[in-house]
Amino acid sequence: MSPQDRHHAVVATMKLAPVIPVLTVRDVADGVAQARALVAGGLPAIEVTLRTPAALDAIAEIAKSVPGAHVGAGTIIELEQIEQAVNAGAKFLVSPGASPALAKAAAEAPIPFLPGVATPSEAMTLRALGFRAMKLFPAEAVGGAKLLASLYAPIPDIVFCPTGGIDAAKALTYLALPNVLCVGGSWMLPKAALEARDYGEVERLSREASKLKG
């Protein structure tokens, strides 16, 4: 996959909906149920974080059994996780940051990769490797919408998916920026609803999130 093809593919993923939900799954059944509710609510691009033992199996089952789901793997921090996620059926990859080794591997990954940055220097370093789409993380902690607005003038060819500390109200501020294509978040996956396995509430909140506009 060429850098240009990779960029077009990751941008297409970012444009599927205004929000990419970030899932942490307890087990495969929970992951599939969350994914079904999210897709039904209009949020097809789904990032499953590799933070639990069930994550890779959940990605595989979502890819196989949830029509309309565009499932990706998040929290990529080790090189071997790239191959593991691809083999599980992930359609895109997301990292919280990018060490030199991970950045190089990301630039050569067989599927689209959305690497994380927190500073202008990190964004410029990834830009030099051919990336033009990145994740700002942890968005609220590192300057949020003000930082992204400041970055637009010097590096207007980079687009972002800010993630970290964002809720429905804050999402509107981010989505109004010219260099933000979508946001990442988990407010449509409230802990109480997941503990009760109330996936109807997840679908309702997802439907609201799918209609957000900046």
Side-chain angles (χ1 to χ4, degrees):
M1 178 177 284
S2 71
Q4 187 175 24
D5 289 341
R6 185 178 292 107
H7 175 71
H8 289 324
V10 76
V11 165
T13 297
M14 296 167 76
K15 288 184 174 181
L16 286 173
V19 183
I20 295 179
V22 181
L23 281 64
T24 301
V25 302
R26 289 177 292 181
D27 50 52
V28 172
D30 175 56
V32 169
Q34 288 187 56
R36 289 190 189 281
L38 291 164
V39 172
L43 300 179
I46 298 167
E47 175 189 340
V48 177
T49 65
L50 301 187
R51 300 179 188 174
T52 62
L56 286 170
D57 288 339
I59 289 170
E61 191 60 32
I62 291 168
K64 182 174 70 174
S65 64
V66 183
H70 191 77
V71 63
T75 321
I76 300 289
I77 58 174
E78 303 290 350
L79 300 186
E80 59 266 24
Q81 290 176 314
I82 295 175
E83 182 177 5
Q84 291 170 352
V86 171
N87 290 341
K91 300 294 191 297
F92 64 98
L93 305 171
V94 186
S95 68
S99 66
L102 185 60
K104 183 177 184 296
E108 299 170 353
I111 60 176
F113 201 115
L114 191 66
V117 299
T119 68
S121 293
E122 292 173 2
M124 291 171 64
T125 298
L126 287 172
R127 184 180 182 279
L129 289 174
F131 289 96
R132 295 294 186 274
M134 305 171 196
K135 165 182 171 175
L136 180 72
F137 179 83
E140 284 291 289
V142 299
K146 289 184 178 180
L147 173 60
L148 289 173
S150 298
L151 291 178
Y152 182 64
I155 41 177
D157 60 342
I158 296 180
V159 292
F160 293 91
C161 172
T163 305
I166 299 174
D167 57 22
K170 292 173 182 174
L172 292 172
T173 301
Y174 284 100
L175 292 169
L177 297 173
N179 55 348
V180 172
L181 295 186
C182 64
V183 302
S186 55
W187 72 86
M188 72 296 300
L189 299 158
K191 183 178 179 181
L194 295 182
E195 287 181 346
R197 298 191 184 267
D198 183 2
Y199 301 110
E201 175 67 0
V202 172
E203 181 178 341
R204 183 186 71 79
L205 292 171
S206 298
R207 189 169 290 110
E208 291 179 356
S210 73
K211 298 174 183 177
L212 290 174
K213 294 180 180 179

PDB file of all heavy atoms in Angstrom, residues 14 18 136 139-140 143-153 156 158-162 166 170-183 213-214:
ATOM      1  N   MET A  14     -12.094   7.819   8.520  1.00  0.00           N
ATOM      2  CA  MET A  14     -12.404   8.961   9.381  1.00  0.00           C
ATOM      3  C   MET A  14     -13.689   9.664   8.966  1.00  0.00           C
ATOM      4  O   MET A  14     -14.353  10.300   9.795  1.00  0.00           O
ATOM      5  CB  MET A  14     -11.235   9.945   9.378  1.00  0.00           C
ATOM      6  CG  MET A  14      -9.948   9.383   9.970  1.00  0.00           C
ATOM      7  SD  MET A  14      -8.488  10.404   9.628  1.00  0.00           S
ATOM      8  CE  MET A  14      -8.741  11.767  10.786  1.00  0.00           C
ATOM      9  N   PRO A  18     -18.956  11.099  12.288  1.00  0.00           N
ATOM     10  CA  PRO A  18     -18.232  12.131  13.027  1.00  0.00           C
ATOM     11  C   PRO A  18     -17.498  11.615  14.256  1.00  0.00           C
ATOM     12  O   PRO A  18     -16.648  12.321  14.800  1.00  0.00           O
ATOM     13  CB  PRO A  18     -19.325  13.123  13.419  1.00  0.00           C
ATOM     14  CG  PRO A  18     -20.592  12.338  13.385  1.00  0.00           C
ATOM     15  CD  PRO A  18     -20.407  11.337  12.296  1.00  0.00           C
ATOM     16  N   LEU A 136      -4.793  12.964  17.657  1.00  0.00           N
ATOM     17  CA  LEU A 136      -4.259  13.796  18.737  1.00  0.00           C
ATOM     18  C   LEU A 136      -4.664  13.159  20.053  1.00  0.00           C
ATOM     19  O   LEU A 136      -5.855  13.008  20.342  1.00  0.00           O
ATOM     20  CB  LEU A 136      -4.805  15.226  18.674  1.00  0.00           C
ATOM     21  CG  LEU A 136      -4.273  16.147  19.786  1.00  0.00           C
ATOM     22  CD1 LEU A 136      -2.804  16.487  19.544  1.00  0.00           C
ATOM     23  CD2 LEU A 136      -5.106  17.420  19.897  1.00  0.00           C
ATOM     24  N   ALA A 139      -6.135  14.315  23.840  1.00  0.00           N
ATOM     25  CA  ALA A 139      -6.516  15.620  23.279  1.00  0.00           C
ATOM     26  C   ALA A 139      -6.748  16.710  24.321  1.00  0.00           C
ATOM     27  O   ALA A 139      -6.118  17.772  24.274  1.00  0.00           O
ATOM     28  CB  ALA A 139      -7.754  15.450  22.403  1.00  0.00           C
ATOM     29  N   GLU A 140      -7.640  16.468  25.245  1.00  0.00           N
ATOM     30  CA  GLU A 140      -7.972  17.514  26.212  1.00  0.00           C
ATOM     31  C   GLU A 140      -6.783  17.867  27.097  1.00  0.00           C
ATOM     32  O   GLU A 140      -6.590  19.022  27.469  1.00  0.00           O
ATOM     33  CB  GLU A 140      -9.160  17.072  27.075  1.00  0.00           C
ATOM     34  CG  GLU A 140     -10.499  17.154  26.366  1.00  0.00           C
ATOM     35  CD  GLU A 140     -10.918  18.593  26.114  1.00  0.00           C
ATOM     36  OE1 GLU A 140     -11.271  19.302  27.083  1.00  0.00           O
ATOM     37  OE2 GLU A 140     -10.879  19.020  24.931  1.00  0.00           O
ATOM     38  N   GLY A 143      -3.999  20.294  25.147  1.00  0.00           N
ATOM     39  CA  GLY A 143      -4.361  21.577  24.541  1.00  0.00           C
ATOM     40  C   GLY A 143      -5.617  21.549  23.703  1.00  0.00           C
ATOM     41  O   GLY A 143      -6.150  22.604  23.334  1.00  0.00           O
ATOM     42  N   GLY A 144      -6.078  20.369  23.370  1.00  0.00           N
ATOM     43  CA  GLY A 144      -7.367  20.205  22.727  1.00  0.00           C
ATOM     44  C   GLY A 144      -7.593  21.018  21.464  1.00  0.00           C
ATOM     45  O   GLY A 144      -6.719  21.140  20.597  1.00  0.00           O
ATOM     46  N   ALA A 145      -8.782  21.591  21.385  1.00  0.00           N
ATOM     47  CA  ALA A 145      -9.185  22.322  20.193  1.00  0.00           C
ATOM     48  C   ALA A 145      -8.295  23.541  19.947  1.00  0.00           C
ATOM     49  O   ALA A 145      -8.022  23.901  18.794  1.00  0.00           O
ATOM     50  CB  ALA A 145     -10.647  22.742  20.315  1.00  0.00           C
ATOM     51  N   LYS A 146      -7.818  24.169  21.011  1.00  0.00           N
ATOM     52  CA  LYS A 146      -6.942  25.337  20.834  1.00  0.00           C
ATOM     53  C   LYS A 146      -5.632  24.930  20.173  1.00  0.00           C
ATOM     54  O   LYS A 146      -5.106  25.651  19.314  1.00  0.00           O
ATOM     55  CB  LYS A 146      -6.682  26.009  22.181  1.00  0.00           C
ATOM     56  CG  LYS A 146      -7.890  26.739  22.752  1.00  0.00           C
ATOM     57  CD  LYS A 146      -7.538  27.463  24.045  1.00  0.00           C
ATOM     58  CE  LYS A 146      -8.745  28.219  24.581  1.00  0.00           C
ATOM     59  NZ  LYS A 146      -8.412  28.933  25.843  1.00  0.00           N
ATOM     60  N   LEU A 147      -5.080  23.802  20.576  1.00  0.00           N
ATOM     61  CA  LEU A 147      -3.850  23.322  19.956  1.00  0.00           C
ATOM     62  C   LEU A 147      -4.071  23.026  18.478  1.00  0.00           C
ATOM     63  O   LEU A 147      -3.273  23.434  17.625  1.00  0.00           O
ATOM     64  CB  LEU A 147      -3.355  22.059  20.669  1.00  0.00           C
ATOM     65  CG  LEU A 147      -2.161  21.349  20.028  1.00  0.00           C
ATOM     66  CD1 LEU A 147      -0.950  22.259  19.959  1.00  0.00           C
ATOM     67  CD2 LEU A 147      -1.828  20.070  20.777  1.00  0.00           C
ATOM     68  N   LEU A 148      -5.147  22.337  18.157  1.00  0.00           N
ATOM     69  CA  LEU A 148      -5.414  21.988  16.768  1.00  0.00           C
ATOM     70  C   LEU A 148      -5.654  23.222  15.914  1.00  0.00           C
ATOM     71  O   LEU A 148      -5.204  23.298  14.763  1.00  0.00           O
ATOM     72  CB  LEU A 148      -6.603  21.034  16.686  1.00  0.00           C
ATOM     73  CG  LEU A 148      -6.335  19.626  17.209  1.00  0.00           C
ATOM     74  CD1 LEU A 148      -7.620  18.809  17.242  1.00  0.00           C
ATOM     75  CD2 LEU A 148      -5.297  18.921  16.351  1.00  0.00           C
ATOM     76  N   ALA A 149      -6.339  24.202  16.460  1.00  0.00           N
ATOM     77  CA  ALA A 149      -6.558  25.449  15.726  1.00  0.00           C
ATOM     78  C   ALA A 149      -5.229  26.137  15.439  1.00  0.00           C
ATOM     79  O   ALA A 149      -5.018  26.710  14.358  1.00  0.00           O
ATOM     80  CB  ALA A 149      -7.482  26.370  16.516  1.00  0.00           C
ATOM     81  N   SER A 150      -4.307  26.065  16.392  1.00  0.00           N
ATOM     82  CA  SER A 150      -2.989  26.678  16.220  1.00  0.00           C
ATOM     83  C   SER A 150      -2.143  25.938  15.189  1.00  0.00           C
ATOM     84  O   SER A 150      -1.299  26.544  14.520  1.00  0.00           O
ATOM     85  CB  SER A 150      -2.251  26.714  17.562  1.00  0.00           C
ATOM     86  OG  SER A 150      -2.953  27.499  18.513  1.00  0.00           O
ATOM     87  N   LEU A 151      -2.353  24.636  15.064  1.00  0.00           N
ATOM     88  CA  LEU A 151      -1.563  23.838  14.126  1.00  0.00           C
ATOM     89  C   LEU A 151      -2.002  24.016  12.680  1.00  0.00           C
ATOM     90  O   LEU A 151      -1.229  23.718  11.759  1.00  0.00           O
ATOM     91  CB  LEU A 151      -1.661  22.351  14.491  1.00  0.00           C
ATOM     92  CG  LEU A 151      -0.986  21.906  15.784  1.00  0.00           C
ATOM     93  CD1 LEU A 151      -1.220  20.414  16.011  1.00  0.00           C
ATOM     94  CD2 LEU A 151       0.507  22.198  15.743  1.00  0.00           C
ATOM     95  N   TYR A 152      -3.210  24.509  12.475  1.00  0.00           N
ATOM     96  CA  TYR A 152      -3.743  24.557  11.111  1.00  0.00           C
ATOM     97  C   TYR A 152      -2.935  25.472  10.194  1.00  0.00           C
ATOM     98  O   TYR A 152      -2.676  25.128   9.040  1.00  0.00           O
ATOM     99  CB  TYR A 152      -5.208  24.985  11.135  1.00  0.00           C
ATOM    100  CG  TYR A 152      -5.827  25.008   9.759  1.00  0.00           C
ATOM    101  CD1 TYR A 152      -5.961  23.826   9.025  1.00  0.00           C
ATOM    102  CD2 TYR A 152      -6.272  26.194   9.186  1.00  0.00           C
ATOM    103  CE1 TYR A 152      -6.516  23.836   7.755  1.00  0.00           C
ATOM    104  CE2 TYR A 152      -6.829  26.209   7.915  1.00  0.00           C
ATOM    105  CZ  TYR A 152      -6.945  25.029   7.207  1.00  0.00           C
ATOM    106  OH  TYR A 152      -7.489  25.034   5.952  1.00  0.00           O
ATOM    107  N   ALA A 153      -2.514  26.621  10.685  1.00  0.00           N
ATOM    108  CA  ALA A 153      -1.778  27.558   9.827  1.00  0.00           C
ATOM    109  C   ALA A 153      -0.421  27.014   9.383  1.00  0.00           C
ATOM    110  O   ALA A 153      -0.105  27.034   8.186  1.00  0.00           O
ATOM    111  CB  ALA A 153      -1.619  28.903  10.531  1.00  0.00           C
ATOM    112  N   PRO A 156      -1.239  22.898   7.436  1.00  0.00           N
ATOM    113  CA  PRO A 156      -2.653  22.757   7.057  1.00  0.00           C
ATOM    114  C   PRO A 156      -2.982  21.465   6.326  1.00  0.00           C
ATOM    115  O   PRO A 156      -4.162  21.138   6.153  1.00  0.00           O
ATOM    116  CB  PRO A 156      -2.883  23.961   6.135  1.00  0.00           C
ATOM    117  CG  PRO A 156      -1.535  24.218   5.541  1.00  0.00           C
ATOM    118  CD  PRO A 156      -0.559  23.916   6.637  1.00  0.00           C
ATOM    119  N   ILE A 158      -2.350  18.442   7.363  1.00  0.00           N
ATOM    120  CA  ILE A 158      -2.550  17.320   8.280  1.00  0.00           C
ATOM    121  C   ILE A 158      -3.962  17.394   8.861  1.00  0.00           C
ATOM    122  O   ILE A 158      -4.405  18.456   9.300  1.00  0.00           O
ATOM    123  CB  ILE A 158      -1.526  17.328   9.429  1.00  0.00           C
ATOM    124  CG1 ILE A 158      -0.113  17.137   8.880  1.00  0.00           C
ATOM    125  CG2 ILE A 158      -1.844  16.220  10.440  1.00  0.00           C
ATOM    126  CD1 ILE A 158       0.961  17.137   9.954  1.00  0.00           C
ATOM    127  N   VAL A 159      -4.661  16.260   8.850  1.00  0.00           N
ATOM    128  CA  VAL A 159      -5.986  16.183   9.459  1.00  0.00           C
ATOM    129  C   VAL A 159      -5.908  15.283  10.683  1.00  0.00           C
ATOM    130  O   VAL A 159      -5.061  14.392  10.759  1.00  0.00           O
ATOM    131  CB  VAL A 159      -7.054  15.676   8.473  1.00  0.00           C
ATOM    132  CG1 VAL A 159      -7.288  16.704   7.380  1.00  0.00           C
ATOM    133  CG2 VAL A 159      -6.656  14.330   7.871  1.00  0.00           C
ATOM    134  N   PHE A 160      -6.810  15.531  11.627  1.00  0.00           N
ATOM    135  CA  PHE A 160      -6.716  14.866  12.926  1.00  0.00           C
ATOM    136  C   PHE A 160      -8.030  14.215  13.353  1.00  0.00           C
ATOM    137  O   PHE A 160      -9.120  14.634  12.967  1.00  0.00           O
ATOM    138  CB  PHE A 160      -6.332  15.879  14.003  1.00  0.00           C
ATOM    139  CG  PHE A 160      -4.946  16.443  13.865  1.00  0.00           C
ATOM    140  CD1 PHE A 160      -4.726  17.603  13.136  1.00  0.00           C
ATOM    141  CD2 PHE A 160      -3.856  15.810  14.457  1.00  0.00           C
ATOM    142  CE1 PHE A 160      -3.449  18.143  13.001  1.00  0.00           C
ATOM    143  CE2 PHE A 160      -2.581  16.334  14.326  1.00  0.00           C
ATOM    144  CZ  PHE A 160      -2.378  17.499  13.600  1.00  0.00           C
ATOM    145  N   CYS A 161      -7.856  13.194  14.206  1.00  0.00           N
ATOM    146  CA  CYS A 161      -8.946  12.614  14.984  1.00  0.00           C
ATOM    147  C   CYS A 161      -8.551  12.775  16.450  1.00  0.00           C
ATOM    148  O   CYS A 161      -7.804  11.954  16.989  1.00  0.00           O
ATOM    149  CB  CYS A 161      -9.148  11.142  14.650  1.00  0.00           C
ATOM    150  SG  CYS A 161     -10.331  10.295  15.749  1.00  0.00           S
ATOM    151  N   PRO A 162      -8.978  13.850  17.105  1.00  0.00           N
ATOM    152  CA  PRO A 162      -8.650  14.020  18.523  1.00  0.00           C
ATOM    153  C   PRO A 162      -9.397  13.014  19.386  1.00  0.00           C
ATOM    154  O   PRO A 162     -10.578  12.745  19.167  1.00  0.00           O
ATOM    155  CB  PRO A 162      -9.086  15.451  18.809  1.00  0.00           C
ATOM    156  CG  PRO A 162     -10.125  15.755  17.785  1.00  0.00           C
ATOM    157  CD  PRO A 162      -9.754  14.977  16.571  1.00  0.00           C
ATOM    158  N   ILE A 166     -12.957  13.617  25.519  1.00  0.00           N
ATOM    159  CA  ILE A 166     -13.969  14.292  24.696  1.00  0.00           C
ATOM    160  C   ILE A 166     -15.347  13.696  24.951  1.00  0.00           C
ATOM    161  O   ILE A 166     -15.515  12.478  24.993  1.00  0.00           O
ATOM    162  CB  ILE A 166     -13.607  14.175  23.204  1.00  0.00           C
ATOM    163  CG1 ILE A 166     -12.263  14.855  22.943  1.00  0.00           C
ATOM    164  CG2 ILE A 166     -14.692  14.808  22.332  1.00  0.00           C
ATOM    165  CD1 ILE A 166     -11.742  14.675  21.521  1.00  0.00           C
ATOM    166  N   LYS A 170     -18.076  18.697  23.861  1.00  0.00           N
ATOM    167  CA  LYS A 170     -16.751  19.093  23.400  1.00  0.00           C
ATOM    168  C   LYS A 170     -16.524  18.688  21.945  1.00  0.00           C
ATOM    169  O   LYS A 170     -15.784  19.361  21.211  1.00  0.00           O
ATOM    170  CB  LYS A 170     -15.674  18.477  24.294  1.00  0.00           C
ATOM    171  CG  LYS A 170     -15.670  19.034  25.703  1.00  0.00           C
ATOM    172  CD  LYS A 170     -14.695  18.278  26.591  1.00  0.00           C
ATOM    173  CE  LYS A 170     -14.735  18.812  28.020  1.00  0.00           C
ATOM    174  NZ  LYS A 170     -13.891  18.003  28.942  1.00  0.00           N
ATOM    175  N   ALA A 171     -17.147  17.593  21.530  1.00  0.00           N
ATOM    176  CA  ALA A 171     -16.970  17.113  20.158  1.00  0.00           C
ATOM    177  C   ALA A 171     -17.364  18.174  19.144  1.00  0.00           C
ATOM    178  O   ALA A 171     -16.718  18.321  18.100  1.00  0.00           O
ATOM    179  CB  ALA A 171     -17.793  15.842  19.943  1.00  0.00           C
ATOM    180  N   LEU A 172     -18.393  18.936  19.437  1.00  0.00           N
ATOM    181  CA  LEU A 172     -18.855  19.964  18.505  1.00  0.00           C
ATOM    182  C   LEU A 172     -17.779  21.012  18.247  1.00  0.00           C
ATOM    183  O   LEU A 172     -17.605  21.473  17.117  1.00  0.00           O
ATOM    184  CB  LEU A 172     -20.123  20.636  19.046  1.00  0.00           C
ATOM    185  CG  LEU A 172     -21.380  19.759  19.085  1.00  0.00           C
ATOM    186  CD1 LEU A 172     -22.500  20.474  19.828  1.00  0.00           C
ATOM    187  CD2 LEU A 172     -21.809  19.408  17.669  1.00  0.00           C
ATOM    188  N   THR A 173     -17.049  21.392  19.281  1.00  0.00           N
ATOM    189  CA  THR A 173     -15.980  22.380  19.129  1.00  0.00           C
ATOM    190  C   THR A 173     -14.878  21.835  18.227  1.00  0.00           C
ATOM    191  O   THR A 173     -14.367  22.542  17.345  1.00  0.00           O
ATOM    192  CB  THR A 173     -15.387  22.755  20.502  1.00  0.00           C
ATOM    193  OG1 THR A 173     -16.434  23.285  21.323  1.00  0.00           O
ATOM    194  CG2 THR A 173     -14.292  23.793  20.358  1.00  0.00           C
ATOM    195  N   TYR A 174     -14.509  20.584  18.430  1.00  0.00           N
ATOM    196  CA  TYR A 174     -13.475  19.971  17.598  1.00  0.00           C
ATOM    197  C   TYR A 174     -13.933  19.838  16.145  1.00  0.00           C
ATOM    198  O   TYR A 174     -13.181  20.145  15.212  1.00  0.00           O
ATOM    199  CB  TYR A 174     -13.127  18.581  18.135  1.00  0.00           C
ATOM    200  CG  TYR A 174     -12.263  18.569  19.363  1.00  0.00           C
ATOM    201  CD1 TYR A 174     -12.815  18.372  20.625  1.00  0.00           C
ATOM    202  CD2 TYR A 174     -10.883  18.737  19.272  1.00  0.00           C
ATOM    203  CE1 TYR A 174     -12.022  18.339  21.765  1.00  0.00           C
ATOM    204  CE2 TYR A 174     -10.081  18.704  20.402  1.00  0.00           C
ATOM    205  CZ  TYR A 174     -10.656  18.508  21.644  1.00  0.00           C
ATOM    206  OH  TYR A 174      -9.860  18.477  22.767  1.00  0.00           O
ATOM    207  N   LEU A 175     -15.153  19.359  15.950  1.00  0.00           N
ATOM    208  CA  LEU A 175     -15.645  19.095  14.600  1.00  0.00           C
ATOM    209  C   LEU A 175     -15.814  20.362  13.774  1.00  0.00           C
ATOM    210  O   LEU A 175     -15.896  20.298  12.544  1.00  0.00           O
ATOM    211  CB  LEU A 175     -16.968  18.330  14.668  1.00  0.00           C
ATOM    212  CG  LEU A 175     -16.856  16.888  15.195  1.00  0.00           C
ATOM    213  CD1 LEU A 175     -18.241  16.319  15.474  1.00  0.00           C
ATOM    214  CD2 LEU A 175     -16.096  16.008  14.218  1.00  0.00           C
ATOM    215  N   ALA A 176     -15.845  21.526  14.432  1.00  0.00           N
ATOM    216  CA  ALA A 176     -15.943  22.791  13.713  1.00  0.00           C
ATOM    217  C   ALA A 176     -14.607  23.231  13.121  1.00  0.00           C
ATOM    218  O   ALA A 176     -14.562  24.147  12.296  1.00  0.00           O
ATOM    219  CB  ALA A 176     -16.469  23.879  14.653  1.00  0.00           C
ATOM    220  N   LEU A 177     -13.515  22.570  13.519  1.00  0.00           N
ATOM    221  CA  LEU A 177     -12.186  22.948  13.036  1.00  0.00           C
ATOM    222  C   LEU A 177     -11.933  22.377  11.639  1.00  0.00           C
ATOM    223  O   LEU A 177     -12.329  21.248  11.346  1.00  0.00           O
ATOM    224  CB  LEU A 177     -11.112  22.441  13.998  1.00  0.00           C
ATOM    225  CG  LEU A 177     -11.153  23.013  15.417  1.00  0.00           C
ATOM    226  CD1 LEU A 177     -10.140  22.289  16.305  1.00  0.00           C
ATOM    227  CD2 LEU A 177     -10.865  24.513  15.403  1.00  0.00           C
ATOM    228  N   PRO A 178     -11.234  23.120  10.786  1.00  0.00           N
ATOM    229  CA  PRO A 178     -11.008  22.654   9.415  1.00  0.00           C
ATOM    230  C   PRO A 178     -10.065  21.466   9.307  1.00  0.00           C
ATOM    231  O   PRO A 178     -10.082  20.760   8.292  1.00  0.00           O
ATOM    232  CB  PRO A 178     -10.413  23.884   8.717  1.00  0.00           C
ATOM    233  CG  PRO A 178      -9.790  24.680   9.818  1.00  0.00           C
ATOM    234  CD  PRO A 178     -10.692  24.473  10.998  1.00  0.00           C
ATOM    235  N   ASN A 179      -9.249  21.225  10.328  1.00  0.00           N
ATOM    236  CA  ASN A 179      -8.308  20.101  10.278  1.00  0.00           C
ATOM    237  C   ASN A 179      -8.746  18.920  11.130  1.00  0.00           C
ATOM    238  O   ASN A 179      -7.942  18.043  11.435  1.00  0.00           O
ATOM    239  CB  ASN A 179      -6.892  20.555  10.670  1.00  0.00           C
ATOM    240  CG  ASN A 179      -6.843  21.249  12.026  1.00  0.00           C
ATOM    241  OD1 ASN A 179      -7.874  21.598  12.594  1.00  0.00           O
ATOM    242  ND2 ASN A 179      -5.644  21.467  12.534  1.00  0.00           N
ATOM    243  N   VAL A 180     -10.010  18.876  11.495  1.00  0.00           N
ATOM    244  CA  VAL A 180     -10.568  17.740  12.245  1.00  0.00           C
ATOM    245  C   VAL A 180     -11.639  17.058  11.404  1.00  0.00           C
ATOM    246  O   VAL A 180     -12.626  17.689  11.021  1.00  0.00           O
ATOM    247  CB  VAL A 180     -11.155  18.187  13.594  1.00  0.00           C
ATOM    248  CG1 VAL A 180     -11.912  17.036  14.264  1.00  0.00           C
ATOM    249  CG2 VAL A 180     -10.054  18.686  14.520  1.00  0.00           C
ATOM    250  N   LEU A 181     -11.433  15.787  11.104  1.00  0.00           N
ATOM    251  CA  LEU A 181     -12.414  15.036  10.317  1.00  0.00           C
ATOM    252  C   LEU A 181     -13.389  14.266  11.193  1.00  0.00           C
ATOM    253  O   LEU A 181     -14.519  14.000  10.784  1.00  0.00           O
ATOM    254  CB  LEU A 181     -11.702  14.053   9.378  1.00  0.00           C
ATOM    255  CG  LEU A 181     -10.830  14.661   8.279  1.00  0.00           C
ATOM    256  CD1 LEU A 181     -10.327  13.555   7.350  1.00  0.00           C
ATOM    257  CD2 LEU A 181     -11.591  15.709   7.492  1.00  0.00           C
ATOM    258  N   CYS A 182     -12.944  13.874  12.382  1.00  0.00           N
ATOM    259  CA  CYS A 182     -13.791  13.133  13.299  1.00  0.00           C
ATOM    260  C   CYS A 182     -13.146  13.201  14.673  1.00  0.00           C
ATOM    261  O   CYS A 182     -12.027  13.700  14.812  1.00  0.00           O
ATOM    262  CB  CYS A 182     -13.953  11.677  12.857  1.00  0.00           C
ATOM    263  SG  CYS A 182     -12.397  10.738  12.874  1.00  0.00           S
ATOM    264  N   VAL A 183     -13.848  12.707  15.672  1.00  0.00           N
ATOM    265  CA  VAL A 183     -13.281  12.613  17.017  1.00  0.00           C
ATOM    266  C   VAL A 183     -13.410  11.173  17.487  1.00  0.00           C
ATOM    267  O   VAL A 183     -14.233  10.407  16.980  1.00  0.00           O
ATOM    268  CB  VAL A 183     -13.979  13.559  18.025  1.00  0.00           C
ATOM    269  CG1 VAL A 183     -13.904  15.005  17.557  1.00  0.00           C
ATOM    270  CG2 VAL A 183     -15.434  13.145  18.252  1.00  0.00           C
ATOM    271  N   LYS A 213     -22.418  17.636  14.248  1.00  0.00           N
ATOM    272  CA  LYS A 213     -21.764  18.426  13.197  1.00  0.00           C
ATOM    273  C   LYS A 213     -21.100  19.636  13.833  1.00  0.00           C
ATOM    274  O   LYS A 213     -21.620  20.202  14.788  1.00  0.00           O
ATOM    275  CB  LYS A 213     -22.779  18.906  12.156  1.00  0.00           C
ATOM    276  CG  LYS A 213     -23.431  17.798  11.342  1.00  0.00           C
ATOM    277  CD  LYS A 213     -24.405  18.372  10.348  1.00  0.00           C
ATOM    278  CE  LYS A 213     -25.072  17.268   9.527  1.00  0.00           C
ATOM    279  NZ  LYS A 213     -26.051  17.811   8.556  1.00  0.00           N
ATOM    280  N   GLY A 214     -19.953  19.985  13.298  1.00  0.00           N
ATOM    281  CA  GLY A 214     -19.252  21.151  13.824  1.00  0.00           C
ATOM    282  C   GLY A 214     -19.831  22.462  13.322  1.00  0.00           C
ATOM    283  O   GLY A 214     -20.574  22.481  12.373  1.00  0.00           O
TER     284      GLY A 214
END
